[in-house]
Amino acid sequence: MAGTKDSGYEGFTAEERAAMKEHAKEQKKAARRASAAEKAAEAERDVLDKIAAMPESDRVMAERVHAVVTAAAPELAPKTWYGMPAYALDGKVVCFFQSAEKFKARYATLGFSDLAKLDDGPMWATGFALTEVTDEVEARIADLVKRAVG
């Protein structure tokens, strides 16, 4: 039959399905929160809880990334996004930390959405592999986050 060739697509991975379920729970939880101050405080607690639950190597990096992002761009609000620590401007995610364990990758990732103002000519990076967060890496993250919020 024409058009029935097996494409090899096997659907979403278990990790991707779990992330989508986490995102749905996050949306429901956020909708139930009352005041803006309560939403912000609970959202940050959710981020810190996600970080605390990570394996040690990811947790150490995520704690440092969280400290750098919140210091470099206090206008970004911590929130969870698909079960990952993320930082949003006016409710829209600008950057996020993806642990290596989340999708069974060999490195953690600091990622930026298309809202990040990192444009640099016709091509630029929006994701950065992290194997360790050194003082030099912290400085680079701070610079990227400051640029991202413009």
Side-chain angles (χ1 to χ4, degrees):
M1 236 190 222
T4 61
K5 182 178 177 185
D6 181 14
S7 67
Y9 176 71
E10 297 181 23
F12 295 107
T13 66
E15 293 81 14
E16 290 168 331
R17 285 191 302 276
M20 288 184 280
K21 286 179 184 177
E22 282 187 271
H23 185 61
K25 286 180 190 175
E26 292 162 2
Q27 295 298 322
K28 288 177 187 176
K29 189 174 184 179
R32 288 192 301 264
R33 293 179 177 148
S35 70
E38 179 185 288
K39 287 179 184 183
E42 285 190 31
E44 181 154 22
R45 272 194 304 275
D46 291 345
V47 166
L48 295 174
D49 289 346
K50 285 291 179 185
I51 291 171
M54 291 178 185
E56 183 178 0
S57 61
D58 286 336
R59 181 181 43 76
V60 169
M61 286 190 290
E63 288 171 346
R64 290 185 76 179
V65 167
H66 178 76
V68 171
V69 171
T70 55
E75 63 270 40
L76 291 179
K79 66 183 277 177
T80 56
W81 184 63
Y82 293 94
M84 297 177 282
Y87 305 88
L89 188 61
D90 299 325
K92 297 178 182 172
V93 171
V94 174
C95 63
F96 60 91
F97 177 85
Q98 181 179 303
S99 71
E101 186 260 345
K102 180 85 174 163
F103 293 105
K104 296 180 175 49
R106 69 181 177 97
Y107 51 79
T109 304
L110 175 65
F112 291 87
S113 75
D114 62 332
L115 299 175
K117 299 174 183 169
L118 298 177
D119 305 37
D120 185 19
M123 184 174 134
W124 57 92
T126 60
F128 299 85
L130 295 172
T131 58
E132 181 182 7
V133 180
T134 63
D135 291 344
E136 181 182 330
V137 171
E138 281 187 4
R140 191 161 176 212
I141 291 170
D143 178 59
L144 285 166
V145 169
K146 287 175 186 175
R147 284 180 41 214
V149 295

